[in-house]
Amino acid sequence: MRLPQAILTRAWRESANLAQLLPEVRTIESARSELRWITEYVHEKMTDRASKGIKVSEGDLQNKISHLCYLRGQKGFPLQYLLGSQPFGDSLEIKCRRGVLIPRWETEEWGIKVAQAIRRSHPFFTAGAQEDLDPGTDIPSEATGHTFKVLDLCTGTGCLALLFAEQLRAPTVKSVYVEGVDISQNAVDLARRNRSINVGQFEQYGTSVVFTRADMFALDVASDHFDIIIANPPYVSEEHYYSCRHTTRSVRRFEPKQALLGGIDFYRRIFQLAREGAVPAVVCEVADQEQLQEIVDECIDDGWDAGGMSDSAGVARTVIAWRKELSAWSWMKQLIDS
Ligand SMILES: C[S@@+](CC[C@H](N)C(=O)[O-])C[C@H]1O[C@@H](n2cnc3c(N)ncnc32)[C@H](O)[C@@H]1O
């Protein structure tokens, strides 16, 4: 859709860089925010260069800012590729690069909600260290292990795996193990890099994170005793992928099709893995209410309780399921939309 001339004129009056950004960014408010981030980023880079004795002029600085605004606004480059990373969770820095899906705010939002709820309510975390328990404390048997294990399928940059590691920091006597799996070598390499950048946020708490390259349709986790499977699988239909209303030009041009195109087969496989591995709980991102209903109808049997959780924009965004017979997970119903 073309931008109204009045908005363009307003932007030009304020600054040429703002006007450059508008075709992709669309609103003056968003363009102002992006211009501020780009300016901060360039200042940081230039300060860094200056500290190494490289001469940097005010002209270099301005040229760099306007070049990035041009790439962003006129060529449609995602901001995260230009700035190199995306903040995530409380303190994670997730490096981004072409060929690997950029983490979305919706994913961060549900990831934080679910991880914090586990930390608050699951007996593994609430019952205290095993050594500190009063004799006779009634802990469900499924919560008595010393390692809480999370499997993140379709991990991409590793953002969700690292978010769970950050949010589930446990008392030292216990440990948390998070494994992220992706079919793309490019994604796994980036996830490993993200792990090494962010390891300081969780390693001293006894939490470990591992990234593995694997096709989830050929994966075997039957004997791995995971406590929960989380996933943001490819879920965009062909129809939505090619429709400008659902998928922007920038997403189609820069982000990998393999990370986006998918649907019910992925959810069917996730719940099959959960059944084979006797995994007590599953949380997956979904596109909308229609897809949520399809998953509940087609992939989840009577042994589970399940429902959806909407995001702050009011869109059904997550399917949450847990085994009925396990009391350690029954608190999950608090996450479900009423
Ligand atoms: C929607 S992206 C999610 C990335 C990341 N978890 C996030 O939330 O930003 C889906 C990911 O699934 C991966 N993928 C696609 N098919 C797969 C398969 N058969 N097995 C494992 N991973 C797969 C893609 O490479 C991509 O990184």
Side-chain angles (χ1 to χ4, degrees):
M1 228 195 344
R2 285 179 59 196
L3 279 166
Q5 188 56 42
I7 297 187
L8 274 171
T9 312
R10 246 178 81 201
W12 271 109
R13 281 206 194 108
E14 205 168 316
S15 91
N17 286 333
L18 205 65
Q20 287 271 37
L21 286 167
L22 269 183
E24 188 64 31
V25 179
R26 311 301 296 174
T27 68
I28 296 225
E29 288 68 31
S30 307
R32 278 197 197 110
S33 300
E34 293 209 4
L35 180 56
R36 193 176 66 248
W37 295 327
I38 289 173
T39 307
E40 282 168 10
Y41 167 80
V42 172
H43 271 275
E44 236 171 70
K45 286 276 156 204
M46 294 300 184
T47 310
D48 195 40
R49 294 185 74 183
S51 73
K52 290 177 183 142
I54 304 166
K55 234 175 113 197
V56 181
S57 70
E58 181 59 26
D60 294 338
L61 199 113
Q62 292 310 328
N63 285 343
K64 182 75 184 162
I65 293 172
S66 63
H67 182 60
L68 292 183
C69 291
Y70 165 78
L71 291 178
R72 173 75 184 125
Q74 311 293 316
K75 295 288 170 191
F77 274 74
L79 185 72
Q80 292 85 347
Y81 290 168
L82 300 176
L83 305 190
S85 68
Q86 158 94 5
F88 209 70
D90 291 338
S91 51
L92 301 171
E93 184 197 351
I94 302 295
K95 293 279 176 203
C96 300
R97 69 167 175 237
R98 204 167 178 160
V100 185
L101 193 95
I102 296 166
R104 305 297 204 261
W105 68 264
E106 295 93 329
T107 309
E108 180 183 31
E109 186 181 81
W110 73 252
I112 291 176
K113 271 194 195 157
V114 172
Q116 289 188 348
I118 293 173
R119 189 75 177 79
R120 251 192 337 265
S121 307
H122 192 285
F124 177 88
F125 297 95
T126 57
Q130 290 298 294
E131 286 75 359
D132 300 340
L133 290 174
D134 292 335
T137 304
D138 180 22
I139 308 179
S141 59
E142 70 268 22
T144 52
H146 273 63
T147 302
F148 187 87
K149 295 179 75 178
V150 180
L151 176 61
D152 173 31
L153 294 171
C154 302
T155 200
T157 54
C159 57
L160 268 177
L162 294 165
L163 181 75
F164 271 65
E166 177 198 59
Q167 299 287 326
L168 292 181
R169 291 186 285 215
T172 48
V173 70
K174 298 173 177 184
S175 62
V176 174
Y177 171 84
V178 187
E179 183 162 347
V181 171
D182 204 286
I183 197 169
S184 147
Q185 188 62 53
N186 195 8
V188 172
D189 290 345
L190 185 60
R192 287 181 180 148
R193 179 152 177 246
N194 279 324
R195 182 198 168 282
S196 62
I197 291 168
N198 293 289
V199 73
Q201 305 304 331
F202 50 82
E203 202 173 53
Q204 73 268 36
Y205 297 89
T207 295
S208 50
V209 179
V210 168
F211 290 108
T212 316
R213 182 183 179 199
D215 178 352
M216 62 176 256
F217 290 93
L219 202 61
D220 177 4
V221 295
S223 55
D224 289 334
H225 306 293
F226 282 104
D227 291 280
I228 184 169
I229 294 178
I230 55 171
N232 176 16
Y235 58 65
V236 181
S237 65
E238 288 259 355
E239 189 198 335
H240 282 189
Y241 184 80
Y242 291 106
S243 128
C244 297
R245 205 157 61 82
H246 293 95
T247 309
T248 64
R249 185 179 58 122
S250 166
V251 168
R252 277 198 299 275
R253 181 151 170 228
F254 291 97
E255 302 210 67
K257 225 172 167 179
Q258 190 178 40
L260 293 159
L261 270 184
I264 196 71
D265 289 350
F266 281 86
Y267 298 99
R268 220 175 257 127
R269 179 64 182 151
I270 290 167
F271 280 94
Q272 186 188 18
L273 285 169
R275 275 191 298 276
E276 287 170 7
V279 180
V282 175
V283 180
C284 304
E285 185 164 319
V286 301
D288 53 23
Q289 182 62 36
E290 197 183 327
Q291 190 169 59
L292 169 68
Q293 198 53 54
E294 189 186 14
I295 296 163
V296 171
D297 292 345
E298 292 194 26
C299 311
I300 307 180
D301 64 35
D302 286 349
W304 298 77
D305 274 322
M309 180 171 77
S310 296
D311 63 26
S312 51
V315 177
R317 185 57 67 202
T318 325
V319 59
I320 296 182
W322 65 98
R323 284 173 191 282
K324 272 185 184 151
E325 80 273 12
L326 300 180
S327 60
W329 289 92
S330 56
W331 53 268
M332 273 189 129
K333 60 173 151 310
Q334 295 159 19
L335 292 171
I336 303 280
D337 295 339
S338 50

